[in-house]
Amino acid sequence: MSLPEIVVDLTKITKNVEVIRRIAEPYNVDVVGVTKGFLGDPKIAAAMLAGGIRMLADSRLENLARLKLAFPETPLMLLRLPGLSQVDDTVALTEVSLNSTWEVLQALSQAALKRHKTHRVILMVDMGDLREGVWPDELSQLVARILPLKGLILEGLGVNLACYGGVIPTTENLGQLVELSAAMEKEFGISLPVISGGNSATLALLQSGNVPSRINQLRIGEGILQGTEAVNRHRLPGAFSDAFILRAEILEIYNKPTMPIGSIGQNAFGEIPMFLDKGWRKRGIIALGRQDVPTDGLIIRDARLKIYGSSSDHLIVDVTEAPEVTVGSVVEFDLNYGGLLGAMTSPYVHKRYIY
Ligand SMILES: *Cc1c(COP(=O)(O)O)cnc(C)c1O
């Protein structure tokens, strides 16, 4: 056994996909499986496909290359806007990409022509979250310019919310996206078959039946991996929030004071730490640090243990209330999405799969 390790329950991931599809399918919403939280690991992607996912999506071309190799028949989507330097790989690796910018679309068209391919494009519209997307005022102008581009198919419009600005998806902002689609169809005499209504943050609205009916695609990562919607982080009924569990071992346990001795300056990270004097406590050092996972991504499963803090390689916990915990004990953690991302992308965290 190599520690720290993250234990990935592939059956729970498949079950979570099934739960989300049962929410989405009555509304004709197709669920695209987002793999960026786990470096496009083909074993986890296969668990998504087993649950009925038909398209996989990632923000990184490196991950998409892994997926393409493992699943040559599965259509892939690039989530992050391609850079000008990436248009050739984008066309080579993916069927569809999210885009917002004329120069890049023109270059994508050239790349598609060179490869004798057609590449599908979803135009991202900024509905207020202030991350990617063309501002609604300028959409019509952009559509007019890209429709003549050869090698590209404008498949539809998309939005991303609750990412940078934390803007919550609503019937109103998604409804405006639907109206923009209808307006483009009318103005240009085209049909836009896909309206991509965001990420796991749209799941709560979908559960309540309030996603406008023309929205027919969601791009879901967190919901599948964590079994939660991403606005209030409520668990989806029947889904699992423990498909990923992090395990690490105790290196040292000593009774020590809770206040450091000496005058306090900056710690290893340039922060001036603060301490609460709780007298002498039994303190454990766990072999798990910021190189493995961000500390605020960790939730200790045993409620008797409390996290004091961490450095690059060590996590310090209060184990006073858990007398049986000793050197060599393995402590288990649930992870929030940030913790999951950190643990899955750290080379120090060993990955173990169970079925
Ligand atoms: C990451 C990402 C998603 C998936 O987000 P989750 O909250 O994990 O579901 C969807 N769309 C885009 C553009 C993304 O970057």
Side-chain angles (χ1 to χ4, degrees):
M1 180 172 57
S2 301
L3 295 170
E5 67 171 3
I6 187 162
V7 183
V8 186
D9 188 323
L10 297 170
T11 307
K12 287 181 176 170
I13 289 165
T14 300
K15 290 260 163 62
N16 285 355
V17 170
E18 289 165 0
V19 165
I20 292 169
R21 283 183 50 226
R22 271 201 295 278
I23 296 169
E25 275 173 6
Y27 302 106
N28 290 316
V29 170
D30 190 40
V31 178
V32 175
V34 173
T35 60
K36 69 186 184 205
F38 50 88
L39 297 170
D41 180 335
K43 286 202 183 68
I44 303 176
M48 284 186 167
L49 295 172
I53 292 288
R54 288 176 307 185
M55 179 185 277
L56 296 169
D58 205 290
S59 49
R60 307 279 172 161
L61 289 165
E62 292 85 345
N63 297 348
L64 288 161
R66 276 179 99 180
L67 293 167
K68 174 101 176 159
L69 211 60
F71 311 104
E73 304 303 320
T74 302
L76 301 177
M77 171 190 276
L78 177 62
L79 290 173
R80 189 168 69 179
L81 309 174
L84 277 175
S85 69
Q86 296 178 313
V87 291
D88 200 49
D89 288 339
T90 301
V91 168
L93 293 171
T94 71
E95 270 60 45
V96 48
S97 58
L98 308 183
N99 283 277
S100 71
T101 298
W102 160 247
E103 291 83 346
V104 177
L105 286 154
Q106 204 182 19
L108 270 176
S109 157
Q110 295 294 318
L113 286 178
K114 215 171 68 193
R115 288 185 176 268
H116 307 289
K117 280 187 149 185
T118 42
H119 183 76
R120 281 140 56 197
V121 161
I122 293 179
L123 269 192
M124 296 301 276
V125 186
D126 191 333
M127 303 307 298
D129 200 54
L130 304 185
R131 204 179 75 177
E132 73 272 52
V134 56
W135 204 250
D137 295 0
E138 297 178 45
L139 176 63
S140 158
Q141 230 179 323
L142 182 62
V143 169
R145 289 181 89 184
I146 65 176
L147 283 177
L149 289 175
K150 299 219 163 40
L152 296 188
I153 295 174
L154 178 58
E155 185 168 58
L157 303 185
V159 68
N160 201 57
L161 292 163
C163 257
Y164 170 75
V167 172
I168 297 171
T170 59
T171 309
E172 288 70 40
N173 53 28
L174 293 180
Q176 283 160 14
L177 184 69
V178 169
E179 281 170 26
L180 283 170
S181 278
M184 292 307 110
E185 289 179 325
K186 187 148 174 260
E187 183 176 344
F188 296 101
I190 54 175
S191 117
L192 297 172
V194 177
I195 307 185
S196 193
N199 53 40
S200 299
T202 307
L203 285 174
L205 195 68
L206 190 63
Q207 278 179 292
S208 64
N210 289 317
V211 167
S213 65
R214 269 204 67 192
I215 302 280
N216 59 2
Q217 180 188 81
L218 294 181
R219 312 172 305 267
I220 304 291
E222 180 173 351
I224 295 173
L225 303 178
Q226 303 279 79
T228 54
E229 49 80 25
V231 173
N232 300 303
R233 304 247 143 55
H234 289 154
R235 195 157 59 80
L236 303 166
F240 295 94
S241 293
D242 58 353
F244 297 83
I245 289 178
L246 185 65
R247 305 173 76 245
E249 76 178 311
I250 303 242
L251 303 175
E252 173 192 295
I253 290 186
Y254 275 124
N255 276 308
K256 294 186 188 179
T258 31
M259 291 296 284
I261 316 289
S263 52
I264 310 271
Q266 293 185 357
N267 68 11
F269 297 91
E271 307 149 355
I272 300 191
M274 303 261 279
F275 300 92
L276 196 64
D277 193 353
K278 291 197 268 174
W280 283 60
R281 303 287 293 177
K282 210 165 103 185
R283 297 160 70 91
I285 295 184
I286 298 177
L288 187 71
R290 299 195 199 186
Q291 298 195 76
D292 305 295
V293 61
T295 315
D296 57 10
L298 294 170
I299 304 135
I300 295 202
R301 303 196 89 199
D302 184 336
R304 297 171 306 166
L305 308 189
K306 298 276 180 295
I307 295 176
Y308 280 129
S310 66
S311 57
S312 311
D313 306 294
H314 303 88
L315 184 77
I316 300 155
V317 294
D318 188 316
V319 299
T320 313
E321 310 303 328
E324 80 285 6
V325 170
T326 174
V327 169
S329 291
V330 172
V331 177
E332 294 191 339
F333 302 86
D334 290 316
L335 299 162
N336 67 21
Y337 193 57
L340 178 63
L341 220 82
M344 287 307 293
T345 52
S346 169
Y348 302 110
V349 177
H350 300 268
K351 280 79 187 173
R352 182 155 67 88
Y353 305 90
I354 57 176
Y355 297 89

